[in-house]
Amino acid sequence: MTLTRREREILALLRRDPLAGAQSIADALGTTRAAVNVHLSNLGKKGAILGRGYILRQEHAVVVIGGANVDIKVRSLAPVAYRTSNPGRSHTSPGGVARNIAENLARLGTPTHLIAAVGQDAAGERLLSDTQAAGVRIEHVHRGPHPTGTYTAVLDADGDLVVAIADMAATDALAPEHLHTARELIGNAGLLVLDGNLSTRVLSYVLDIASATGVQTLIDPVSVPKAALLAPLFAAGRPVFAVTPNVAELGALAGRDLAGATDADDPELLRAVAVLHERGARHVWVRLGARGSLLSTLDEGRVPLAAPPAEVRDVTGAGDAMLGAFAHALLGGADPVDAARYGHAAAALTVATPATVRPDLTPRLIEDALDAPLRRTT
C-alpha cells in the first residue's frame, strides 16, 4: 500500500482522534472539506481505514491463515530400524504450520490473529486454549465437523525427521465462506502469512483480498505436493511480498527438477528463483538446511546467508520459527536481509530445544544469539 503525503498526514490526525470529522481534518491541514473527503475515500479504497469512525489498519498486527493441529512426535532412542518396532519416546503438543508461526510471532510480542479450522472436540478445545494462552487471537478460528487435525512425526536418534503423517481433513474443509467474517481483518492486516495447507480456493480468495487492499503477503509452501498445487496461483498481476520454499518446494513451484541443486549459486536453482520473480514474488527466500539460505530480491540481487551453529535436539518447528521471526523483524522496520538473519537465529534457538515452539522465545534471546558471534571475535 502506497500513501501520498497528504494521506499520511490525515492518518496521523485520525490516530489521535479516530472520530474526527472531515471539516476538522480540513481545518487542521489548511485545506477544504471536499479535498479531505476525496482523500478519505482513497484511504478507504487502499484499506488504510474502514467503517465508521475511520477505524485504522492495525499496522503492526499479523494475520496468519493455515493449518492448526495436534503434533505427535515420536523419537527413536537408537538408529532407526525399518519395518520393525523401535524403542523411543513420544510427546504431544499444539502444532500446525500457521498455528506455530502465529505462536512464535505472539511470543515475540507481535499482535497476531490466527485463522484456521479445528474440530468440535476435546483436542480442538485444548489446542485453542494453549494457543490463546501463548498470546494468539483465535476469534476467527473455524470449528468444523471434522476431527481436529494431527501431525505425527517420527524422528531418529539425532532428532532428524524420518517420516511424517498429516491428517488435515479439518483444514482441507476450510472454505472461503468460513472467512467472510474475517475479510476486513485480512484486508487491514499489517502483514499476512499463509501456509500451503490451505486449499487453492481459500488461497486464491485471500490473495485477492490482499492484492486489492495492498497487504504484504508471505507464503510458506509447506511441502512439495502442496507447492505443486500452489504454483498456478503465482501471477505477476497478483504479487506477493515473499515466498519461503526449500529446494524441493522451489522446484515444484517453478516446474523444474532441482534434484541436483545443492548450493546457493547453482544455475538451475537460480533459474527457478527467476521464474518466481517473473510471477510476482518480490522476495524468494530459499531454505538450504544446514547450508543456510538464499534470499533473492526482485531487482535488488541475491544474498546467501549462513546458518548459525546449533546443537540439534529436534528440527520440528524450525521453519515456523524462522518465518515467524522474519515477519516480526520486518514489522519492526528491519530490511529483508537483516530480517532473514533474525529468522535464522530463531530457528537455531528452536532446534536446540525439544519444543516445536520454544516457550522462552523473546526478542532479547534472539538478539543475544545474533550478538554472540560478535562477542567471540572481539
Side-chain angles (χ1 to χ4, degrees):
M1 177 179 64
T2 302
L3 302 180
T4 67
R5 179 181 60 82
R6 182 64 86 191
E7 288 168 351
R8 291 196 297 272
E9 291 172 344
I10 291 173
L11 281 183
L13 291 172
L14 289 174
R15 290 190 183 96
R16 292 197 291 271
D17 182 7
L19 296 178
Q23 187 60 58
S24 64
I25 294 173
D27 292 343
L29 296 176
T31 185
T32 66
R33 179 173 180 170
V36 168
N37 282 329
V38 171
H39 291 306
L40 289 172
S41 176
N42 289 335
L43 285 167
K45 293 174 182 177
K46 292 179 179 181
I49 59 175
L50 65 149
R52 292 178 298 176
Y54 305 131
I55 301 169
L56 302 181
R57 176 195 296 273
Q58 299 181 53
E59 292 185 348
H60 297 292
V62 178
V63 176
V64 187
I65 311 178
N69 50 258
V70 176
D71 275 354
I72 305 167
K73 292 191 288 188
V74 183
R75 181 167 178 169
S76 175
L77 296 178
V80 174
Y82 293 92
R83 296 183 176 84
T84 188
S85 177
N86 288 262
R89 297 287 184 269
S90 64
H91 176 71
T92 301
S93 63
V97 172
R99 198 220 66 86
N100 292 344
I101 293 169
E103 182 176 341
N104 277 289
L105 279 159
R107 292 193 179 281
L108 290 171
T110 296
T112 306
H113 297 261
L114 174 66
I115 301 176
V118 301
Q120 301 178 39
D121 49 23
E125 292 289 345
R126 176 65 182 274
L127 183 63
L128 293 181
S129 176
D130 289 346
T131 302
Q132 187 175 41
V136 179
R137 300 285 296 271
I138 59 170
E139 293 91 339
H140 292 282
V141 173
H142 175 66
R143 304 297 298 273
H146 297 280
T148 297
T150 58
Y151 172 83
T152 303
V154 178
L155 309 176
D156 64 20
D158 295 325
D160 290 325
L161 182 66
V162 176
V163 68
I165 303 295
D167 177 357
M168 301 295 290
T171 300
D172 293 340
L174 190 67
E177 54 265 30
H178 300 140
L179 276 66
H180 286 340
T181 59
R183 187 181 180 93
E184 285 191 351
L185 175 68
I186 297 167
N188 290 276
L191 198 64
L192 178 65
V193 180
L194 307 176
D195 86 33
N197 286 307
L198 298 165
S199 69
T200 53
R201 287 180 62 220
V202 170
L203 284 166
S204 183
Y205 175 78
V206 175
L207 287 171
D208 284 344
I209 295 173
S211 179
T213 56
V215 175
Q216 292 187 328
T217 304
L218 281 66
I219 302 178
D220 183 346
V222 174
S223 69
V224 171
K226 300 286 186 179
L229 295 175
L230 177 62
L233 297 181
F234 282 85
R238 188 168 56 185
V240 300
F241 180 76
V243 59
T244 62
N246 61 26
V247 173
E249 292 161 0
L250 173 64
L253 287 170
R256 290 177 173 271
D257 181 7
L258 299 182
T262 58
D263 299 313
D265 58 357
D266 184 281
E268 282 299 314
L269 185 148
L270 297 180
R271 278 191 278 271
V273 168
V275 168
L276 294 190
H277 284 319
E278 291 168 2
R279 295 179 185 170
R282 178 164 183 78
H283 302 281
V284 181
W285 189 17
V286 186
R287 304 173 187 179
L288 301 170
R291 298 184 302 281
S293 67
L294 172 69
L295 179 64
S296 178
T297 298
L298 184 64
D299 300 327
E300 297 175 24
R302 300 184 293 269
V303 179
L305 298 164
E311 181 179 345
V312 179
R313 294 188 63 185
D314 185 344
V315 298
T316 311
D320 305 334
M322 196 167 170
L323 182 51
F326 178 67
H328 170 80
L330 287 173
L331 284 174
D335 67 56
V337 173
D338 286 340
R341 291 194 178 101
Y342 196 86
H344 268 300
L349 289 166
T350 299
V351 300
T353 74
T356 301
V357 178
R358 183 164 177 150
D360 63 344
L361 188 68
T362 62
R364 178 62 180 271
L365 190 67
I366 296 176
E367 288 157 10
D368 286 347
L370 287 168
D371 290 341
L374 296 176
R375 290 197 296 270
R376 287 195 293 268
T377 58
T378 58

